[in-house]
Amino acid sequence: MSSFNKKFEGYASNIATNAIIFPGIDVGNLTVETPRLYTQNAIWDTGAQMTVISSKLVTALGLKPYGKGTLTGIGGENNVETYRIHVLLPNGFLACDVEAYCSNIEDDILIGMDIIALTDFVISNVDENTVFMMRAPSEGVNL
């Protein structure tokens, strides 16, 4: 188990962290030569059921389509291609074989509930500062 904490001065308008994205190859075949994209622009989006990646990220990693899916959002429904990726979270936890939907988003990746559900995810706004804590894999809590 490993956790990650990030404090934002004032109330955060979004939760952005770093992440490393790899093509969804067999994890045993990951090497130093495996393409990867390091980003400080990974947005944690509890309103998204699925993880969404930018077309810029698809191009940078040379990803090949995995399937097709429908993204539903503010702009309506869009049929998009999906890609298989691995996402290394800030605490060192590797979310494997994520089926990510591609869209023309400005951010590199929106981490959706498909990944967030693997973690213990906490946001606190004490003393008018936002604190984000993520622990993975999830250990649960006793209330």
Side-chain angles (χ1 to χ4, degrees):
M1 182 273 306
S2 181
S3 65
F4 174 80
N5 301 299
K6 184 172 182 180
K7 183 176 181 178
F8 299 84
E9 295 299 320
Y11 294 115
S13 61
N14 62 34
I15 303 298
T17 67
N18 65 323
I20 301 174
I21 300 96
F22 299 89
I25 64 173
D26 179 4
V27 175
N29 291 331
L30 289 175
T31 68
V32 292
E33 291 84 23
T34 302
R36 68 200 69 197
L37 184 125
Y38 173 83
T39 183
Q40 292 188 18
N41 199 17
I43 306 298
W44 294 71
D45 187 350
T46 60
Q49 292 178 340
M50 307 303 291
T51 293
V52 178
I53 56 176
S54 69
S55 52
K56 178 182 80 173
L57 185 142
V58 169
T59 301
L61 292 178
L63 299 177
K64 304 293 182 221
Y66 175 75
K68 293 192 179 288
T70 303
L71 270 181
T72 304
I74 295 171
E77 285 189 359
N78 292 303
N79 294 320
V80 298
E81 292 183 323
T82 64
Y83 297 85
R84 191 171 150 231
I85 61 171
H86 306 309
V87 182
L88 185 62
L89 301 177
N91 68 336
F93 179 77
L94 185 64
C96 295
D97 296 323
V98 174
E99 185 175 8
Y101 290 60
C102 181
S103 183
N104 291 324
I105 57 174
E106 290 182 28
D107 305 302
D108 294 319
I109 184 170
L110 297 178
I111 297 173
M113 289 303 296
D114 55 336
I115 293 177
I116 294 171
L118 302 173
T119 75
D120 293 327
F121 179 91
V122 177
I123 296 175
S124 174
N125 287 302
V126 70
D127 298 328
E128 299 181 2
N129 292 301
T130 299
V131 176
F132 165 63
M133 188 281 296
M134 179 272 300
R135 177 176 63 191
S138 175
E139 292 187 12
V141 293
N142 294 320
L143 300 175

